Each structure stands twice: as structure tokens, then as C-alpha cells.
Amino acid sequence: MRLTIFWERMAAHFGEGYADSFARDHVMSELGGRTVYEAFDAGWDAKSVWQAVCGAMDIPRDRR
């Protein structure tokens, strides 16, 4: 998954304004106690981060 697709999916699910805030502030155990931005900085790929977000936030399978 490309990073642009990741951010499109984040915006589609959370809304454009909240997606960035969520990515900066929400710490997820699925990301090893990191935020989305911290996971990217630690070398996680976009697909793995998206899967973690989906699991943490119960995003429906058809939107994954």
C-alpha cells in the first residue's frame, strides 16, 4: 500500500480534519504503544499500520 492510499483511507474513515489528529495523538497497542506517525518513524509500512488502525478501531472489513 502506498502512503497516499493510507492517508486517503484515513480521511475517508475519520474525516479530513480528524485523521491527522488521530494519527498524531492516538496511541495503539497494535502499533507497539505508538501513534501512527511514530510507527512510520519506526519503519512500519503503510499496509501494516492501516491493518493495525482497522483492528484497533473496528473498521468494517469492506473498508479495509
Side-chain angles (χ1 to χ4, degrees):
M1 170 186 290
R2 291 184 295 179
L3 200 52
T4 54
I5 300 298
F6 171 85
W7 288 113
E8 286 173 5
R9 290 183 181 184
M10 287 286 288
H13 183 74
F14 295 106
E16 298 236 359
Y18 184 61
D20 185 65
S21 177
F22 176 88
R24 289 187 189 285
D25 300 331
H26 191 83
V27 176
M28 291 178 273
S29 60
E30 293 83 355
L31 294 174
R34 297 177 179 93
T35 66
V36 167
Y37 281 108
E38 290 169 339
F40 285 140
D41 288 344
W44 287 55
D45 64 274
K47 182 177 181 179
S48 297
V49 174
W50 178 245
Q51 289 172 342
V53 171
C54 289
M57 303 308 294
D58 293 324
I59 294 175
R61 293 232 179 252
D62 65 328
R63 297 183 74 186
R64 295 181 183 199

